Short mmCIF file of all heavy atoms in Angstrom, two decimals:
data_model
loop_
_atom_site.label_atom_id
_atom_site.label_comp_id
_atom_site.label_asym_id
_atom_site.label_seq_id
_atom_site.Cartn_x
_atom_site.Cartn_y
_atom_site.Cartn_z
N LEU A 5 210.19 187.87 83.37
CA LEU A 5 208.74 187.71 83.38
C LEU A 5 208.11 188.81 84.22
O LEU A 5 208.56 189.10 85.32
CB LEU A 5 208.37 186.34 83.94
CG LEU A 5 208.87 185.15 83.13
CD1 LEU A 5 208.45 183.84 83.80
CD2 LEU A 5 208.37 185.20 81.70
N ILE A 6 207.05 189.38 83.69
CA ILE A 6 206.35 190.49 84.34
C ILE A 6 204.95 190.01 84.72
O ILE A 6 204.20 189.53 83.86
CB ILE A 6 206.22 191.69 83.38
CG1 ILE A 6 207.60 192.10 82.89
CG2 ILE A 6 205.49 192.84 84.03
CD1 ILE A 6 207.57 192.95 81.66
N PRO A 7 204.57 190.13 85.99
CA PRO A 7 203.20 189.74 86.37
C PRO A 7 202.17 190.66 85.72
O PRO A 7 202.44 191.85 85.47
CB PRO A 7 203.18 189.90 87.89
CG PRO A 7 204.49 190.45 88.30
CD PRO A 7 205.35 190.61 87.10
N ALA A 8 201.01 190.13 85.42
CA ALA A 8 199.96 190.88 84.71
C ALA A 8 199.62 192.22 85.38
O ALA A 8 199.52 193.24 84.69
CB ALA A 8 198.72 190.02 84.53
N PRO A 9 199.44 192.29 86.71
CA PRO A 9 199.10 193.59 87.31
C PRO A 9 200.20 194.65 87.08
O PRO A 9 199.91 195.81 86.80
CB PRO A 9 198.94 193.28 88.80
CG PRO A 9 198.58 191.84 88.84
CD PRO A 9 199.35 191.22 87.71
N ARG A 10 201.45 194.21 87.18
CA ARG A 10 202.55 195.15 86.94
C ARG A 10 202.61 195.56 85.47
O ARG A 10 202.88 196.71 85.14
CB ARG A 10 203.87 194.52 87.38
CG ARG A 10 205.02 195.48 87.24
CD ARG A 10 206.30 194.95 87.84
NE ARG A 10 207.40 195.60 87.19
CZ ARG A 10 208.48 195.00 86.76
NH1 ARG A 10 208.64 193.72 86.96
NH2 ARG A 10 209.42 195.67 86.15
N LEU A 11 202.35 194.63 84.59
CA LEU A 11 202.32 194.92 83.15
C LEU A 11 201.31 196.02 82.86
O LEU A 11 201.61 197.01 82.19
CB LEU A 11 201.96 193.66 82.37
CG LEU A 11 201.81 193.85 80.87
CD1 LEU A 11 203.19 193.91 80.22
CD2 LEU A 11 200.99 192.73 80.27
N ARG A 12 200.11 195.85 83.39
CA ARG A 12 199.05 196.84 83.15
C ARG A 12 199.42 198.19 83.75
O ARG A 12 199.19 199.23 83.13
CB ARG A 12 197.73 196.35 83.73
CG ARG A 12 197.18 195.14 83.00
CD ARG A 12 195.75 194.77 83.41
NE ARG A 12 195.34 195.18 84.73
CZ ARG A 12 195.35 194.40 85.81
NH1 ARG A 12 195.78 193.16 85.73
NH2 ARG A 12 194.92 194.86 86.96
N ALA A 13 199.97 198.20 84.94
CA ALA A 13 200.28 199.45 85.64
C ALA A 13 201.47 200.18 85.05
O ALA A 13 201.41 201.38 84.80
CB ALA A 13 200.53 199.16 87.13
N GLU A 14 202.56 199.46 84.80
CA GLU A 14 203.81 200.12 84.42
C GLU A 14 204.02 200.24 82.91
O GLU A 14 204.70 201.15 82.46
CB GLU A 14 204.99 199.38 85.04
CG GLU A 14 204.99 199.47 86.55
CD GLU A 14 206.15 198.74 87.20
OE1 GLU A 14 207.14 198.44 86.51
OE2 GLU A 14 206.05 198.47 88.40
N TYR A 15 203.47 199.33 82.14
CA TYR A 15 203.71 199.35 80.70
C TYR A 15 202.54 199.94 79.92
O TYR A 15 202.73 200.40 78.80
CB TYR A 15 204.01 197.94 80.19
CG TYR A 15 205.34 197.40 80.64
CD1 TYR A 15 205.53 196.94 81.94
CD2 TYR A 15 206.42 197.37 79.78
CE1 TYR A 15 206.75 196.46 82.36
CE2 TYR A 15 207.65 196.88 80.20
CZ TYR A 15 207.82 196.44 81.49
OH TYR A 15 209.03 195.97 81.90
N PHE A 16 201.34 199.92 80.50
CA PHE A 16 200.16 200.39 79.78
C PHE A 16 199.36 201.40 80.58
O PHE A 16 198.14 201.50 80.44
CB PHE A 16 199.30 199.20 79.35
CG PHE A 16 200.01 198.30 78.38
CD1 PHE A 16 200.46 197.06 78.76
CD2 PHE A 16 200.27 198.73 77.09
CE1 PHE A 16 201.15 196.24 77.88
CE2 PHE A 16 200.96 197.93 76.19
CZ PHE A 16 201.40 196.68 76.59
N GLY A 17 200.04 202.17 81.42
CA GLY A 17 199.42 203.31 82.10
C GLY A 17 198.24 203.00 82.98
O GLY A 17 197.31 203.79 83.06
N GLY A 18 198.23 201.84 83.63
CA GLY A 18 197.12 201.51 84.52
C GLY A 18 195.91 200.95 83.79
O GLY A 18 194.78 201.07 84.28
#
Side-chain angles (χ1 to χ4, degrees):
L5 298 179
I6 304 162
R10 184 172 155 225
L11 176 78
R12 293 190 335 262
E14 295 180 17
Y15 290 76
F16 296 108

